[in-house]
Amino acid sequence: MRSRWFAPVLAALAALVLFLPSLWYSWTFDDVHLLTPPSETETRSLTDVWSSSYWPASTQGLFRPLTSTTFWVEGRTHAPFALRHGVNVLLHAAVTALLVLVLLDLRCPPWAAGLAGRLFAVHPVHVEAGAGLVGRSELLAALFTLLAVRAGCGTPRRRTLLAVTVLSFLAASSKEWTWALPVFLVAARLARGMTWQPSLLLASGVGVGLHLVLRRMVLGGWLNSPDAVIPVMDNPLVLSVGLDRFRDGLAVTGLVFRQLAFPWVQSPDVTGQSITLPGSWADPRVLLALAGLGALAWGSWHLRKPKNDPGRRALALGSAWALAGILLLTNLLLTLGVIFADRLLYWPSLAGCLLLGGLLTLAASRVPRWGLLGAGLALAVAYTVQSAAYLPAWANDRALFAHAVETTPRSQRAWYNFGRYLQAENNTEGALRAFHTAAALDSTFGDAHLQRALSLMQIGRHADALDALRQARQTLARTPHLDLTEATLLLESGHPETAAPLLEQVLQREPDWFEAAYNLGRARADLGDPEAAAVAWA
């Protein structure tokens, strides 16, 4: 019994040590939209959390109430960032330990299970999920999925069925890919030489189904909200159709296989023009995806009649879990809110390490164990070095956005976010350069043109700001705020005759807007009508 726990504990310790520096990190990027800072108090009730979408004011159709609940508890208790990061670190360590236990359940030797677990613990693609606070959804989903699967591999007693139902519901309430949990459970039972047990399959289906019913009540749709919109910049696959869409999805899947095996370049923002879509079926990424999917399908096929061989069972289970996870998380079959992100690879990498544990077990009969251990530990060291080098990028927004524009210089979103950070730091010149780069990469990026206009306005270049604002208005919806900004620029540029009618339109929609009334008075005064100016200022 002692040796059984030694391997998972060592693997979990590797995860804890690697992510320990994140306890001193702040929050980054999307955290600001979902978390309440320690200095403020969470004002929502728990009922509000379970009856609203995951992403505030979003049309992406996300509903992850369990993940939101953990953020709510931290907001209510004013938990410091160190504690919040600590939760993520502990969750990743727990998932790592459970992965090793799954391999041991399949009778893989502790050295092979432990080595696969250590590779998972330090894999570079996990930095985003482990160090980014909103990555917690991946960690919770994997944790409850593994717990549900291990519970479902027991005897189908009433207590077991209840546990599988509850754990499946909690998993589904953490992240959407867990809707495939019944498939994961059946594959695990077959890999262990068990029957698939309809009652256990039904229990996991009921847990996921309860979540979907609640999701339908909150969002208005079973799989998505009716008004769900995916921006082209975040996922250009929304423009692909038919066979071209399938080919483009394969190209993204090929990137997933490459990143899982060779994770040497990472960025927190892979949007816009960072990924070019293929123009041919002979694209290397497409060919890699077809080869990888074929290999996983071949490995999964062995679940039909698993041999009494731990290595083959682990290989078959890892293949099945990886195949299901990749089909759900790589934009091959579904169009996700983002085209690619390291955090989406958390479950596929877990399945890949499970598969690797099976390969190590099989290879032990042909290759000296010391050779396998040496090669595996060398890879673990390389992964650790890469992860440790990337981890500081998640310390704060400054580090994160600077890393993003360095690693994905063709992402207009990365440059835009970097500019917004510099703007908040009153680095107007730096922000202006970032917005100019974002707009140059995508001339239809209205927000980049708008922020460029505001930065130019701030340093007194009103004519240039007016040109930038007019470019922004070609793609942005007309709003009173945009009208006021344009009117202000017209006024500062010496065109009160054009500014006045625009300001009158703003006041028709927002009659109590002091700034608009004040500028209208200025415009009328410049036009030589002091009485009309006095009326506006009254």
Side-chain angles (χ1 to χ4, degrees), residues 111 115 118-119 360 367-382:
W111 68 268
L115 182 54
R118 280 193 287 275
L119 286 169
L360 288 170
V367 180
R369 183 185 302 180
W370 63 265
L372 295 173
L373 279 171
L377 290 175
L379 182 60
V381 170

Short mmCIF file of all heavy atoms in Angstrom, two decimals, residues 111 115 118-119 360 367-382:
data_model
loop_
_atom_site.label_atom_id
_atom_site.label_comp_id
_atom_site.label_asym_id
_atom_site.label_seq_id
_atom_site.Cartn_x
_atom_site.Cartn_y
_atom_site.Cartn_z
N TRP A 111 6.81 2.78 -11.36
CA TRP A 111 7.82 3.65 -11.96
C TRP A 111 7.29 4.28 -13.25
O TRP A 111 7.54 5.47 -13.53
CB TRP A 111 9.11 2.88 -12.24
CG TRP A 111 9.01 1.84 -13.32
CD1 TRP A 111 8.71 0.52 -13.15
CD2 TRP A 111 9.19 2.05 -14.72
NE1 TRP A 111 8.69 -0.12 -14.37
CE2 TRP A 111 8.99 0.79 -15.34
CE3 TRP A 111 9.51 3.15 -15.51
CZ2 TRP A 111 9.07 0.61 -16.73
CZ3 TRP A 111 9.60 2.97 -16.89
CH2 TRP A 111 9.39 1.72 -17.48
N LEU A 115 6.40 8.23 -13.63
CA LEU A 115 7.09 9.02 -14.65
C LEU A 115 6.09 9.75 -15.54
O LEU A 115 6.26 10.94 -15.85
CB LEU A 115 7.99 8.11 -15.49
CG LEU A 115 8.83 8.79 -16.58
CD1 LEU A 115 9.67 9.91 -16.00
CD2 LEU A 115 9.71 7.77 -17.29
N ARG A 118 4.78 12.66 -13.56
CA ARG A 118 5.71 13.80 -13.46
C ARG A 118 5.75 14.59 -14.76
O ARG A 118 5.87 15.82 -14.74
CB ARG A 118 7.11 13.29 -13.09
CG ARG A 118 7.26 12.99 -11.62
CD ARG A 118 8.71 12.78 -11.22
NE ARG A 118 9.23 11.52 -11.71
CZ ARG A 118 9.08 10.36 -11.07
NH1 ARG A 118 8.40 10.32 -9.93
NH2 ARG A 118 9.59 9.24 -11.56
N LEU A 119 5.66 13.91 -15.89
CA LEU A 119 5.61 14.63 -17.17
C LEU A 119 4.35 15.48 -17.26
O LEU A 119 4.38 16.61 -17.75
CB LEU A 119 5.67 13.63 -18.33
CG LEU A 119 7.05 13.00 -18.57
CD1 LEU A 119 6.94 11.85 -19.56
CD2 LEU A 119 8.04 14.04 -19.08
N LEU A 360 5.33 3.15 -21.96
CA LEU A 360 6.48 2.84 -21.10
C LEU A 360 6.37 1.43 -20.55
O LEU A 360 7.37 0.69 -20.50
CB LEU A 360 6.56 3.85 -19.96
CG LEU A 360 7.01 5.26 -20.32
CD1 LEU A 360 6.82 6.20 -19.13
CD2 LEU A 360 8.47 5.27 -20.76
N VAL A 367 13.19 -2.82 -23.67
CA VAL A 367 14.23 -1.82 -23.43
C VAL A 367 14.55 -1.81 -21.94
O VAL A 367 13.64 -1.91 -21.11
CB VAL A 367 13.75 -0.42 -23.88
CG1 VAL A 367 14.83 0.62 -23.64
CG2 VAL A 367 13.35 -0.44 -25.35
N PRO A 368 15.81 -1.71 -21.56
CA PRO A 368 16.17 -1.65 -20.15
C PRO A 368 15.42 -0.51 -19.43
O PRO A 368 15.30 0.59 -19.97
CB PRO A 368 17.69 -1.41 -20.16
CG PRO A 368 18.13 -1.94 -21.47
CD PRO A 368 17.01 -1.69 -22.43
N ARG A 369 14.97 -0.81 -18.23
CA ARG A 369 14.19 0.19 -17.51
C ARG A 369 14.99 1.46 -17.27
O ARG A 369 14.44 2.56 -17.32
CB ARG A 369 13.71 -0.38 -16.17
CG ARG A 369 12.82 0.58 -15.40
CD ARG A 369 12.45 0.04 -14.03
NE ARG A 369 11.76 -1.23 -14.12
CZ ARG A 369 11.32 -1.91 -13.04
NH1 ARG A 369 11.53 -1.41 -11.84
NH2 ARG A 369 10.70 -3.05 -13.19
N TRP A 370 16.28 1.32 -16.99
CA TRP A 370 17.09 2.51 -16.73
C TRP A 370 17.13 3.44 -17.94
O TRP A 370 17.20 4.66 -17.80
CB TRP A 370 18.51 2.12 -16.31
CG TRP A 370 19.29 1.36 -17.35
CD1 TRP A 370 19.43 0.02 -17.46
CD2 TRP A 370 20.05 1.93 -18.43
NE1 TRP A 370 20.21 -0.32 -18.53
CE2 TRP A 370 20.61 0.85 -19.14
CE3 TRP A 370 20.32 3.23 -18.86
CZ2 TRP A 370 21.41 1.03 -20.27
CZ3 TRP A 370 21.12 3.42 -19.97
CH2 TRP A 370 21.66 2.34 -20.67
N GLY A 371 17.09 2.85 -19.16
CA GLY A 371 17.08 3.67 -20.35
C GLY A 371 15.78 4.45 -20.49
O GLY A 371 15.79 5.64 -20.85
N LEU A 372 14.66 3.78 -20.21
CA LEU A 372 13.36 4.46 -20.26
C LEU A 372 13.26 5.55 -19.20
O LEU A 372 12.78 6.65 -19.46
CB LEU A 372 12.24 3.44 -20.08
CG LEU A 372 12.10 2.38 -21.18
CD1 LEU A 372 11.05 1.34 -20.79
CD2 LEU A 372 11.72 3.03 -22.51
N LEU A 373 13.73 5.22 -18.00
CA LEU A 373 13.69 6.21 -16.92
C LEU A 373 14.57 7.41 -17.25
O LEU A 373 14.19 8.57 -17.04
CB LEU A 373 14.15 5.58 -15.61
CG LEU A 373 13.11 4.77 -14.84
CD1 LEU A 373 13.76 4.01 -13.69
CD2 LEU A 373 12.00 5.68 -14.33
N GLY A 374 15.74 7.14 -17.81
CA GLY A 374 16.65 8.24 -18.15
C GLY A 374 16.06 9.15 -19.21
O GLY A 374 16.11 10.38 -19.08
N ALA A 375 15.48 8.55 -20.26
CA ALA A 375 14.88 9.36 -21.32
C ALA A 375 13.68 10.15 -20.79
O ALA A 375 13.51 11.34 -21.11
CB ALA A 375 14.47 8.48 -22.49
N GLY A 376 12.87 9.49 -19.98
CA GLY A 376 11.69 10.16 -19.43
C GLY A 376 12.04 11.30 -18.50
O GLY A 376 11.44 12.38 -18.56
N LEU A 377 13.04 11.08 -17.65
CA LEU A 377 13.45 12.14 -16.73
C LEU A 377 14.10 13.31 -17.47
O LEU A 377 13.93 14.47 -17.09
CB LEU A 377 14.40 11.58 -15.68
CG LEU A 377 13.76 10.62 -14.66
CD1 LEU A 377 14.81 10.02 -13.75
CD2 LEU A 377 12.69 11.35 -13.85
N ALA A 378 14.84 12.99 -18.55
CA ALA A 378 15.43 14.07 -19.35
C ALA A 378 14.34 14.93 -19.97
O ALA A 378 14.44 16.17 -20.00
CB ALA A 378 16.32 13.47 -20.43
N LEU A 379 13.28 14.28 -20.46
CA LEU A 379 12.16 15.04 -21.03
C LEU A 379 11.46 15.85 -19.95
O LEU A 379 11.05 17.00 -20.18
CB LEU A 379 11.18 14.09 -21.72
CG LEU A 379 9.98 14.73 -22.41
CD1 LEU A 379 10.43 15.69 -23.51
CD2 LEU A 379 9.05 13.65 -23.00
N ALA A 380 11.32 15.26 -18.75
CA ALA A 380 10.69 15.98 -17.64
C ALA A 380 11.50 17.22 -17.27
O ALA A 380 10.93 18.28 -16.97
CB ALA A 380 10.53 15.05 -16.44
N VAL A 381 12.82 17.10 -17.29
CA VAL A 381 13.67 18.26 -16.99
C VAL A 381 13.49 19.34 -18.05
O VAL A 381 13.37 20.53 -17.74
CB VAL A 381 15.14 17.83 -16.89
CG1 VAL A 381 16.06 19.05 -16.83
CG2 VAL A 381 15.36 16.95 -15.66
N ALA A 382 13.44 18.93 -19.32
CA ALA A 382 13.26 19.90 -20.40
C ALA A 382 11.91 20.60 -20.28
O ALA A 382 11.81 21.83 -20.46
CB ALA A 382 13.36 19.20 -21.76
#
